[in-house]
Amino acid sequence: MQVDTSASRSFVLLDSYGGPDIPFSLLQQLAQFKRTEVMLTFVPNFLTRFSEKNDGHRGAGDAAFGGTEWHGVFTQPAGRKFAYLRDRYRESIKRVPDPPTPSTSRWWMKAGTRSTSSTGPDTSWA
């Protein structure tokens, strides 16, 4: 996929429909845009239900997170899995390379049914 980084402004909504279907490589490509806002939705139920015993689903999670750091969810108690995956996904977003103009690029993340940002960007380019 070619990314035109000369676009004047961009807003991108990435809505994962029930599974880990937004690859980390796409986030890396979007980071090359100047003056871009990206809103991600993240629904971890699929990963907590199906990926522990299925290599294909676990591989999809690895592609979404950009690595295997999220596998620790398998040892978390049921009531902690959502927060654990949300936090690992935030960490993976922070690993996306700095955009060409960091002050004009913003990322928001909405996880599950709870908004993780109400006053501005949830995650930054740190």
Side-chain angles (χ1 to χ4, degrees):
M1 172 180 178
Q2 290 286 9
V3 176
D4 178 8
T5 60
S6 65
S8 61
R9 292 184 187 267
S10 299
F11 174 77
V12 180
L13 171 63
L14 299 173
D15 185 12
S16 63
Y17 184 72
D21 49 3
I22 301 170
F24 188 74
S25 60
L26 177 60
L27 302 181
Q28 292 173 312
Q29 289 177 353
L30 289 171
Q32 299 309 304
F33 276 107
K34 299 173 186 171
R35 294 175 288 199
T36 299
E37 294 185 43
V38 178
M39 181 177 193
L40 298 162
T41 60
F42 176 69
V43 182
N45 295 348
F46 180 86
L47 291 174
T48 59
R49 292 179 61 205
F50 301 114
S51 59
E52 185 172 10
K53 296 179 182 174
N54 184 298
D55 290 341
H57 296 319
R58 196 167 39 258
D62 293 349
F65 281 82
T68 61
E69 297 83 10
W70 68 277
H71 288 197
V73 72
F74 304 132
T75 62
Q76 299 296 312
R80 186 74 192 114
K81 290 181 186 287
F82 175 91
Y84 183 86
L85 285 175
R86 180 198 61 214
D87 295 345
R88 296 302 79 72
Y89 198 65
R90 283 180 178 164
E91 290 169 4
S92 72
I93 291 170
K94 290 179 181 180
R95 288 193 326 266
V96 174
D98 290 339
T101 54
S103 63
T104 58
S105 296
R106 294 183 287 181
W107 291 69
W108 287 273
M109 183 179 102
K110 181 174 176 150
T113 59
R114 302 176 210 156
S115 177
T116 58
S117 174
S118 59
T119 59
D122 179 57
T123 55
S124 68
W125 292 101

